[in-house]
Amino acid sequence: MSEPHALQEIGWPLDDHGQVAVPEWRECLEAHPQARPARVVEQHRSGYVVAEGPDDSFPVESPAEWQRRPSYRKGGIPPEARAGVGDWVLVERSGDVMQIVALLPRRSAIKRAAAGEHYKQQLIAANVDTVFVVCGLDKDFNPRRIERYLLLVKGSGAQAVVVLTKADHAADVPGAVATIAALASAEVPVRAVDAREPDSVAALRPWLQPGATVVMVGSSGAGKSTLTNSLAGEELMKTGEVRSTDSRGRHTTTYRALIPLPGGACLIDTPGMRELKPTGEEDVADNFADVAELALECRFRDCRHLKEPGCAVMAAIATGNLDPQRLANYRKLQGEVATAAGQLAGRRVQ
């Protein structure tokens, strides 16, 4: 097995006795005595790059069954069941190459439905402790998009933190923070930072402790690469200009990569995502607790919150206690999740 301290520096969990903290992982190690653990730090069409420490990475071959086209049919392997950035795998030498022989069970997984007509899940990152939902405080500031990101994160096993970048561009930073805090649940922290200033991004240190793994998600131009460079203390990721018309940027990050930070945490940067489709496994009511609680006060149990008498939701809108755009997004996401859930169920019975 690789040096435990080197593995710990890229997130390998050990208990107080120096043993692997995840029982299922210990079982996998015992089942493959000749293999050793490594973490996926890059995923490309041609294969993977894994690491056994912050300065020890190398390419590996995927199992033969992963090299076939992903499939939900019986006996097939869907795309989300294959390794992604952040996953822990067991690797073993086979001739002149290193090969993945096992994928360790995930402690958390951030997923979305891939773009396109046919249903397919896409793994964004695995085994992360925290998700930084990054949005710029410029013309691209969009509370509705943040609601959508929080829906994907909820139930993933990771904690969401909303990071509002470009605080130096905003006329009313406290107002923007209050807007997001009002739509996020109480356990979702909101921080406004200037991604170019190390002193400003120090506000994110509580989630970047040694051994922790954080993934950043957000649209192109939100400042994820700039934030990565500030946290790393060096220019690791390319950054680009954003359009003046809508503050959208080009995809300066073209693939997911896990980056060890100087303080001992790991950061996963991801390409900007313009389309965020739910997988069908999300709980919309859990993410819109304010709307769900109001619905319990409606006169009719099957109230659609349109023109029914005694509708507590519409009453809250009339008094200004509920944003009508939040209700509209709630309805929209309910429909999308229901559609995706039907597609997922259909895939699973094929």
Side-chain angles (χ1 to χ4, degrees), residues 38-51 57-62 66 83-87 89 100 124 236-237 253-260 267-269:
R39 196 168 197 188
V40 177
V41 295
E42 293 181 20
Q43 179 183 1
H44 305 278
R45 291 183 179 179
S46 58
Y48 298 93
V49 176
V50 302
S57 61
F58 50 91
V60 294
E61 287 189 355
S62 58
W66 291 6
V85 173
D87 266 320
V89 295
I100 295 174
I124 298 171
L236 294 177
M237 311 300 288
T253 299
T254 56
Y255 60 91
R256 297 173 183 83
L258 185 144
I259 303 163
L267 186 67
I268 300 175
D269 192 10

Side-chain angles (χ1 to χ4, degrees), residues 121-143:
Q121 288 190 12
Q122 180 183 41
L123 178 70
I124 298 171
N127 297 308
V128 300
D129 302 290
T130 306
V131 181
F132 285 169
V133 178
V134 184
C135 181
L137 287 172
D138 49 15
K139 295 178 182 178
D140 197 37
F141 179 61
N142 188 333

Side-chain angles (χ1 to χ4, degrees), residues 40-332:
V40 177
V41 295
E42 293 181 20
Q43 179 183 1
H44 305 278
R45 291 183 179 179
S46 58
Y48 298 93
V49 176
V50 302
E52 295 181 314
D55 302 307
D56 184 11
S57 61
F58 50 91
V60 294
E61 287 189 355
S62 58
E65 58 268 26
W66 291 6
Q67 296 170 19
R68 294 193 290 269
R69 185 176 180 178
S71 174
Y72 283 90
R73 296 184 182 276
K74 187 176 181 180
I77 300 178
E80 71 275 13
R82 304 171 187 221
V85 173
D87 266 320
W88 285 96
V89 295
L90 298 183
V91 298
E92 194 173 296
R93 181 164 294 282
S94 176
D96 296 331
V97 300
M98 294 296 291
Q99 187 172 40
I100 295 174
V101 296
L103 172 63
L104 298 184
R106 291 168 179 148
R107 302 166 68 198
S108 64
I110 314 299
K111 298 181 292 185
R112 67 168 176 172
E117 180 180 352
H118 301 290
Y119 182 90
K120 182 172 65 174
Q121 288 190 12
Q122 180 183 41
L123 178 70
I124 298 171
N127 297 308
V128 300
D129 302 290
T130 306
V131 181
F132 285 169
V133 178
V134 184
C135 181
L137 287 172
D138 49 15
K139 295 178 182 178
D140 197 37
F141 179 61
N142 188 333
R144 303 284 80 82
R145 190 188 308 125
I146 292 175
E147 285 177 330
R148 188 171 285 265
Y149 272 112
L150 293 177
L151 177 68
L152 297 184
V153 175
K154 187 80 170 182
S156 67
Q159 178 188 8
V161 176
V162 178
V163 181
L164 303 177
T165 60
K166 308 180 184 181
D168 54 315
H169 288 218
D172 183 13
V173 174
V177 171
T179 295
I180 301 305
L183 64 86
S185 58
E187 67 267 19
V188 178
V190 183
R191 298 290 184 270
V193 302
D194 180 349
R196 299 171 301 178
E197 295 295 332
D199 290 343
S200 180
V201 302
L204 305 179
R205 284 177 183 165
W207 300 282
L208 295 167
Q209 299 302 309
T213 300
V214 174
V215 62
M216 290 194 295
V217 297
S219 59
S220 298
K224 299 189 302 298
S225 295
T226 301
L227 186 57
T228 297
N229 292 338
S230 292
L231 293 171
E234 58 180 307
E235 293 289 323
L236 294 177
M237 311 300 288
K238 293 182 180 179
T239 58
E241 297 296 325
V242 298
R243 294 192 297 256
S244 59
T245 53
D246 59 4
S247 297
R248 289 293 187 92
R250 295 180 178 178
H251 293 283
T252 52
T253 299
T254 56
Y255 60 91
R256 297 173 183 83
L258 185 144
I259 303 163
L261 297 179
C266 291
L267 186 67
I268 300 175
D269 192 10
T270 64
M273 290 180 280
R274 298 194 186 279
E275 188 172 4
L276 288 170
K277 296 172 62 177
T279 65
E281 300 170 321
E282 299 83 4
D283 185 341
V284 179
D286 195 29
N287 283 264
F288 289 76
D290 52 344
V291 179
E293 289 173 6
L294 285 168
L296 294 175
E297 301 176 13
C298 292
R299 181 184 301 176
F300 302 106
R301 182 172 296 179
D302 60 348
C303 183
R304 296 176 298 164
H305 319 308
L306 295 172
K307 296 182 179 179
E308 295 88 346
C311 176
V313 174
M314 297 308 296
I317 289 177
T319 58
N321 291 324
L322 180 65
D323 183 352
Q325 289 299 316
R326 180 158 172 80
L327 176 60
N329 207 29
Y330 170 75
R331 288 175 173 151
K332 182 178 181 181

